[in-house]
């Protein structure tokens, strides 16, 4: 996660590609190595969200989790954390565009509206109606590599929640292995005042119908991690999983995204999907990138062109 070390290695050609998070670094490298490096942009494979277990108190109270859902300022996260390189995301992210709502369509839904005063006022009212002030301190686990890449993101997230809801939200930086262990044990909720925020499961393909079923349908083994049962969600996700007509499957998925937002994320309240900016030396050849292409598949289409002038000076 050390961006300075990565940049130095990239400039010395000890690594062939580099993903800067800072716009100033991207502009500087593009200017200094004009004609010698290539910039590629694509949606990140892992959307960003904060999950919880909604099958027991405190997050089984829809007022509480709805308040958290509306308290997040998604646009501020995109501007501050991602420096504008991102998009609003429903429970099917924009990388799977044919199967989800556009940003414009999302802005009609609570939690995504542009009127932040209205969102925050409603969020605070819901929090108080659900007994949120009595919860006291709420712990927000942040993955260590997430905080490492976006320095200060934990403070950005907890300050947003504290500002809107009033309670103390304390960030705790943890390894992903710890967070995964808590997820499996239903420890984000289930009597505990905690949630987590970071990158969630990567996209396995363009069509999200299978993942929608596995994550949100109450008959799926994965459902126990989140525990938010909604009969209409069960119906839609089962229909999408079994539907052979692609156009019908797209509409079912869009209907699911709207329903998920209306139920505050169903245990996985998506917020944003980042846009990765990759800089690579021109000798580094690769096929077109996409968020749902796995690293192994991407590597199969990658090669080094030793005849390219930029290959000169690359260490063996």
């Amino acid at each position: 996660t050390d961006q300075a070390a990565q940049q130095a290695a990239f400039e010395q050609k000890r690594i062939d590609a580099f993903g800067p998070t800072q716009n100033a670094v991207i502009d500087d490298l593009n200017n200094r190595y004009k004609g010698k490096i290539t910039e590629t942009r694509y949606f990140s494979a892992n959307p960003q969200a904060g999950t919880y277990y909604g099958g027991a108190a405190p997050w089984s109270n829809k007022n509480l989790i709805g308040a958290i859902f509306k308290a997040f300022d998604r646009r501020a996260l995109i501007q501050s954390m991602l420096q504008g390189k991102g998009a609003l995301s429903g429970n099917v992210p924009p990388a799977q565009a044919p199967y989800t709502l556009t940003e414009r369509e999302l802005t009609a839904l609570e939690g995504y509206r542009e009127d932040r005063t209205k969102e925050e006022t409603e969020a605070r009212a819901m929090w108080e109606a659900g007994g949120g002030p009595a919860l006291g301190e709420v712990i927000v686990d942040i993955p260590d590599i997430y905080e490492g890449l976006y320095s200060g993101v934990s403070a950005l997230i907890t300050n947003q929640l504290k500002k809107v809801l009033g309670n103390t939200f304390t960030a705790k930086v943890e390894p992903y292995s710890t967070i995964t262990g808590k997820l499996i044990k239903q420890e984000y909720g289930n009597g505990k005042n905690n949630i987590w925020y970071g990158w969630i499961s990567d996209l396995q393909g363009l069509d999200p119908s299978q993942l929608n079923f596995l994550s949100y349908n109450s008959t799926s083994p994965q459902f126990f991690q989140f525990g938010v049962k909604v009969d209409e969600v069960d119906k839609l996700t089962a229909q999408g999983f079994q539907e052979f007509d692609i156009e019908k499957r797209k509409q079912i998925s869009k209907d699911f995204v709207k329903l998920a937002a209306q139920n505050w994320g169903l245990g996985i309240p998506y917020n944003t999907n980042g846009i990765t900016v990759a800089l690579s030396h021109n000798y580094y050849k690769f096929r077109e990138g996409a968020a749902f292409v796995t690293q192994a598949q991407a590597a199969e289409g990658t090669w080094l062109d030793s005849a390219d002038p930029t290959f000169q000076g690359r260490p063996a």
Side-chain angles (χ1 to χ4, degrees), residues 21 48 77-86 150 272-274:
T21 60
Q48 300 181 17
L77 288 172
I78 290 171
Q79 293 304 318
S80 299
M81 176 177 64
L82 301 176
Q83 296 201 336
K85 301 186 295 294
Y150 302 116
T272 65
N273 197 170

Side-chain angles (χ1 to χ4, degrees), residues 43-98:
F43 277 117
S44 301
N46 299 78
Q48 300 181 17
T51 75
Y52 61 91
Y53 177 71
W59 310 133
S60 55
N61 185 316
K62 288 193 174 182
N63 272 319
L64 295 181
I65 202 58
I68 292 177
F69 188 85
K70 290 155 69 73
F72 272 114
D73 187 341
R74 291 160 171 79
R75 290 170 184 78
L77 288 172
I78 290 171
Q79 293 304 318
S80 299
M81 176 177 64
L82 301 176
Q83 296 201 336
K85 301 186 295 294
L88 299 176
S89 178
N91 280 54
V92 173
Q96 295 168 311

Side-chain angles (χ1 to χ4, degrees), residues 105-147:
E105 290 170 324
L106 283 173
T107 59
L109 304 176
E110 294 181 18
Y112 297 93
R113 296 174 297 185
E114 294 185 73
D115 189 341
R116 283 303 303 164
T117 299
K118 185 176 181 64
E119 292 276 26
E120 292 177 7
T121 300
E122 292 177 1
R124 185 61 175 261
M126 291 178 72
W127 186 252
E128 292 177 353
L135 292 178
E137 182 183 34
V138 179
I139 302 298
V140 183
D141 284 355
I142 302 291
D144 52 3
I145 58 173
Y146 187 73
E147 174 71 18

